[in-house]
Amino acid sequence: MTLALGCIADDYTGASDLANSLAKAGLRTVQTIGVPDAGLALPEIDAIVCAFKIRSVPAADAVAAALQAETWLRGQGAGHVLYKVCSTFDSTDDGNIGPVTDALRARAGEPIAIVNSAFPEAGRTIYQGHLFVGALPLNESPLKDHPLNPMTDANLVRVLARQSRSGVGLVDRKTIAAGAAAVAARLAALVQEGKGAAIADTIEDADLETLGRVAMTHRVSTGASGLGLGIARALVASGRVSAAATGTAGLEVVGGPAACLAGSCSQATLGQIAEAERIMPVLRLDAGRLVTDGIAETDRAIAFAAERLGAGPVLVASSGTPAEVAAVQAKFGRDAAGHAIEAGMARIAEALVARGVRRLVVAGGETSGAVVERLAIPAFRLGPEIAPGVPVLHALGIAGGPMVLALKSGNFGAPTFFADALKLMP
Ligand SMILES: Nc1ncnc2c1ncn2[C@@H]1O[C@H](COP(=O)(O)OP(=O)(O)O)[C@@H](O)[C@H]1O
Ligand SMILES: O=C(O)[C@@H](O)C(=O)COP(=O)(O)O
């Protein structure tokens, strides 16, 4: 196997979002959980996305995981390594986008890395270095209330500089509109100024195609699935990947009981849970009790689901409004609350799978990470797209017959997301 592109994703929903964009662009893509065991049989592919749960861990741990993956990906032939971060740049001033980008760039011996989290299809654009979520600057968007990484500054040059050892510059829209040569010249000028990272503006996919062409002349870059799309299109245009390839599988029937779990507290997910209440039984967990008495609260959820699974899908949600999240965090601490709730959701998932669930929808990046780790699924191949950034995933390398999952980024999907997903997971 010789890879055209190796990717390291900082969370699991982000990984499936990127894998979806690469597959749609024609790259035969597999998503693995971490670096796969040597024994895992992989089909002939153009791109691998190694998924990690390193968005909100200490920076040194994120760097170590990313460097281990980089070594493995280069060993598989990857000439370019993309570090996949969130399109809303979820991170804190302690990391991890800056430290990991610095480390990958140093390892690759590159003077500068493009950093671009735009994803126009999902409403994430960047202008003069400022990230917009739809019509709102990042700091006015619902991301200001994220439970783990509240984003309070829309200026990505500033945000990245606070968490990097490298100086950070800007490649503005005018330069990008002037084409790949102009971008390359701007990067060279930034290197002369002592910068090691460049936030790149992006308004539309054409900007990403230009950035993708330039990124391919470097060994490393950092971005969301929009930059992945730009790189994938550049690979196809250059003939390094056959455009005839089809990246995704069609609809496959798995059958059996289906369940949904939501740990995301994003505005989008809260709306999707409310909508799901119209079509399936929904249990709202007591988040505080998940922290203080996790076994009892998760047993309650397991019993609730077990009684109803025979009649149709069910949804179990820990999700709360910003005020509810703030109350739980004030009582137990942000990280302790997050970890305990994630562990509870993972325990519920494990119990439901033991009761025959082979179709599972999970909302929330950290939540999905906890669930997939507990289920010990080593890899996924891509199925149809449910919503921009959210594909159906077919588990690879597990016992017990076929299983499909959807791992939804908190912010993605229409209000009818849970029904939309289950329709494509028959
Ligand atoms: N009611 C709640 N109160 C506090 N934290 C919560 C609650 N429900 C879930 N969480 C935590 O909030 C975090 C949500 O993150 P994540 O799953 O990545 O969602 P998103 O995709 O929206 O970022 C997780 O750590 C989760 O355990
Ligand atoms: O790039 C994105 O927005 C997503 O792929 C992503 O990373 C989402 O993260 P969560 O919202 O934490 O699921």
Side-chain angles (χ1 to χ4, degrees):
M1 175 177 69
T2 299
L3 284 181
L5 178 64
C7 308
I8 303 165
D10 71 350
D11 85 343
Y12 290 29
T13 46
S16 57
D17 167 19
L18 172 62
N20 182 55
S21 285
L22 301 180
K24 279 202 313 184
L27 271 55
R28 296 164 301 172
T29 306
V30 161
Q31 173 180 343
T32 62
I33 302 307
V35 172
D37 286 343
L40 181 70
L42 291 174
E44 189 58 33
I45 44 180
D46 304 307
I48 287 191
V49 182
C50 294
F52 287 88
K53 190 173 180 301
I54 55 173
R55 185 173 292 172
S56 304
V57 302
D61 296 352
V63 167
L67 288 178
Q68 185 212 1
E70 193 259 5
T71 302
W72 183 77
L73 289 165
R74 298 281 186 210
Q76 305 305 306
H80 188 87
V81 169
L82 169 66
Y83 181 49
K84 160 68 176 71
V85 299
C86 192
S87 63
T88 47
F89 221 76
D90 295 15
S91 54
T92 67
D93 288 351
D94 295 328
N96 291 336
I97 300 175
V100 172
T101 303
D102 286 342
L104 290 175
R105 183 171 71 74
R107 174 70 73 81
E110 287 279 2
I112 193 160
I114 293 174
V115 179
N116 175 287
S117 73
F119 187 15
E121 191 184 355
R124 279 66 161 150
T125 56
I126 305 173
Y127 186 67
Q128 297 297 344
H130 289 70
L131 177 60
F132 290 82
V133 179
L136 296 173
L138 178 64
N139 57 305
E140 292 176 26
S141 78
L143 272 298
K144 69 184 188 317
D145 298 314
H146 190 279
L148 303 177
N149 310 291
M151 300 306 291
T152 54
D153 186 355
N155 183 328
L156 297 187
V157 174
R158 254 181 346 227
V159 172
L160 186 60
R162 284 197 293 267
Q163 51 179 274
S164 300
R165 280 201 310 265
S166 311
V168 183
L170 175 69
V171 183
D172 69 8
R173 176 82 203 310
K174 205 168 156 202
T175 307
I176 292 166
V183 174
R186 173 67 182 150
L187 291 176
L190 288 174
V191 171
Q192 291 306 312
E193 290 171 23
K195 311 289 192 210
I199 295 290
D201 279 354
T202 290
I203 306 298
E204 56 192 10
D205 283 0
D207 301 336
L208 294 166
E209 288 169 12
T210 302
L211 289 172
R213 282 201 296 283
V214 180
M216 286 316 300
T217 65
H218 293 245
R219 281 167 60 72
V220 67
S221 60
T222 291
S225 65
L227 186 59
L229 180 80
I231 292 173
R233 287 188 181 163
L235 281 168
V236 171
S238 70
R240 271 185 274 178
V241 170
S242 158
T246 88
T248 59
L251 216 58
E252 290 172 32
V253 178
V254 169
C260 307
L261 297 173
S264 163
C265 302
S266 76
Q267 210 177 72
T269 302
L270 295 178
Q272 290 156 351
I273 296 167
E275 185 69 25
E277 271 176 330
R278 294 149 57 101
I279 56 162
M280 67 180 90
V282 174
L283 177 68
R284 291 175 183 272
L285 294 167
D286 178 333
R289 194 153 178 251
L290 273 176
V291 182
T292 56
D293 199 0
I295 298 291
E297 187 61 0
T298 51
D299 277 348
R300 183 168 79 89
I302 294 161
F304 171 90
E307 271 169 32
R308 292 165 178 82
L309 279 173
V314 299
L315 167 62
V316 175
S318 71
S319 320
T321 62
E324 288 164 346
V325 170
V328 169
Q329 291 186 339
K331 202 158 170 195
F332 303 105
R334 186 186 66 178
D335 290 345
H339 290 148
I341 295 168
E342 288 167 31
M345 299 306 272
R347 182 169 187 264
I348 296 167
E350 187 176 42
L352 298 188
V353 170
R355 281 161 181 74
V357 167
R358 307 298 287 175
R359 300 182 288 141
L360 185 62
V361 182
V362 188
E366 297 296 327
T367 309
S368 295
V371 165
V372 170
E373 273 173 16
R374 183 68 67 95
L375 298 179
I377 300 171
F380 297 105
R381 69 187 162 79
L382 278 282
E385 181 180 74
I386 302 162
V390 197
V392 173
L393 299 171
H394 294 263
L396 293 173
I398 54 159
M403 175 167 191
V404 277
L405 291 93
L407 308 179
K408 187 194 82 79
S409 154
N411 301 301
F412 287 173
T416 52
F417 176 81
F418 290 107
D420 299 345
L422 291 167
K423 243 181 254 157
L424 292 179
M425 299 164 69

